[in-house]
Amino acid sequence: MGMLNRTDRPLQGKVAMVTGASRRIGRAVALGLAQAGADVVVHARQSRDEVEAVAAEIRAMGGRAAVALGDVTVEAEVMAVFDVARKAFGGVDILINNAAIRGEKPFLEMTLEEWRQTNSVIMDGAFLCSREALRSMVERGGGTVINLGGVSAHVGAKRRAHVAAGKAGLIGLTKSIAVEFADRNITANCVAPGKIGGKRSATSGASPEMGSGGPILGREGEIDEAAFVILSLCMPEARFMTGQTVHVSGGMYMP
């Protein structure tokens, strides 16, 4: 991948869990973490072939990977996913909460079920995965939680009120984890990508109309450009950064 352009393995001995790791940013982050020396648990809800392919790529570069399938909105399935991590590698030091669905629906046509389903994947998933990961991090003496937000939470988006609301909720969750676990050597940050190109999943929908003029750089971002920022926050040099939301959107939003 060459994403970090470093020859050392700063995450040697660490275990990372990446949810929604079968494609796009999740896949790139999983590969980058492995390149940096981490053992990686690659998760997907049900796309076993795709996630097994990611694990095979990690093993081909000399890394260690385990595959875990499960619905992040179902408590028992999340616990089973983390059991995979414990049995394979002894626990988790790094959690990337990347699993999400990004459907579209005009606000006045949105059903309560659609609202709840989207927010359940984003918020319930991040809560359940963070809780299990943090239990492990406390035992292991520290760790890193990275939540994947989105620019829509900051600028708004037509037909995506449910997504924007869920992603905004992740900011509060991130800050609360950062405060509560600071004295246990655990950091938590949120990365908010915007207008990242590449092939999208079926649940992503079209590119939404947002309350922003688009990236001021005049182009979509690359998947590796978003993954680089996420990976940087996992590095030993980033231990003084916590509770922050980092924007990777080409200037679509400037706090």
Side-chain angles (χ1 to χ4, degrees), residues 7-246:
T7 56
D8 60 336
R9 293 167 67 81
L11 299 180
Q12 188 79 43
K14 301 296 185 185
V15 181
M17 166 85 70
V18 183
T19 68
S22 61
R23 58 176 76 92
R24 288 181 58 78
I25 293 173
R27 172 183 172 275
V29 170
L31 293 172
L33 288 165
Q35 186 182 49
D39 298 327
V40 185
V41 182
V42 287
H43 160 273
R45 185 169 64 91
Q46 58 185 17
S47 45
R48 176 175 286 280
D49 288 349
E50 287 181 313
V51 85
E52 289 279 9
V54 176
E57 285 187 72
I58 290 171
R59 294 178 189 125
M61 67 170 75
R64 298 201 303 169
V67 168
L69 297 183
D71 187 332
V72 295
T73 70
V74 179
E75 188 170 23
E77 294 192 27
V78 170
M79 293 177 80
V81 164
F82 280 84
D83 276 341
V84 170
R86 270 188 292 274
K87 287 170 182 169
F89 304 126
V92 171
D93 305 290
I94 297 167
L95 171 66
I96 313 295
N97 276 318
N98 175 63
I101 54 175
R102 302 173 182 85
E104 292 191 13
K105 188 60 90 65
F107 192 82
L108 297 181
E109 297 173 19
M110 193 177 294
T111 66
L112 181 59
E113 179 57 32
E114 287 167 334
W115 169 270
R116 284 176 171 166
Q117 181 190 27
T118 297
N119 275 279
S120 183
V121 172
I122 297 170
M123 286 296 297
D124 295 350
F127 162 69
L128 289 169
C129 290
S130 295
R131 190 185 65 185
E132 295 308 305
L134 285 162
R135 285 172 172 161
S136 180
M137 291 175 194
V138 168
E139 289 175 5
R140 292 163 71 88
T144 303
V145 176
I146 308 286
N147 292 317
L148 266 289
V151 71
S152 65
H154 303 270
V155 302
K158 289 184 178 179
R159 304 182 301 280
R160 283 200 178 172
H162 45 359
V163 176
K167 294 292 191 179
L170 289 179
I171 299 167
L173 176 65
T174 300
K175 291 179 178 180
S176 297
I177 291 172
V179 171
E180 187 163 345
F181 292 90
D183 63 353
R184 280 168 278 190
N185 192 33
I186 294 168
T187 62
N189 290 290
C190 182
V191 175
K195 290 284 186 182
I196 304 299
K199 185 179 177 183
R200 299 175 186 278
S201 68
T203 60
S204 287
S207 187
E209 191 175 334
M210 297 190 186
S212 160
I216 62 173
L217 295 179
R219 65 174 178 86
E220 289 189 335
E222 301 287 341
I223 288 169
D224 276 7
E225 290 176 316
F228 175 82
V229 175
I230 297 162
L231 290 165
S232 297
L233 291 170
C234 298
M235 295 299 134
E237 298 90 342
R239 298 303 300 164
F240 199 57
M241 189 158 182
T242 194
Q244 304 303 307
T245 297
V246 183

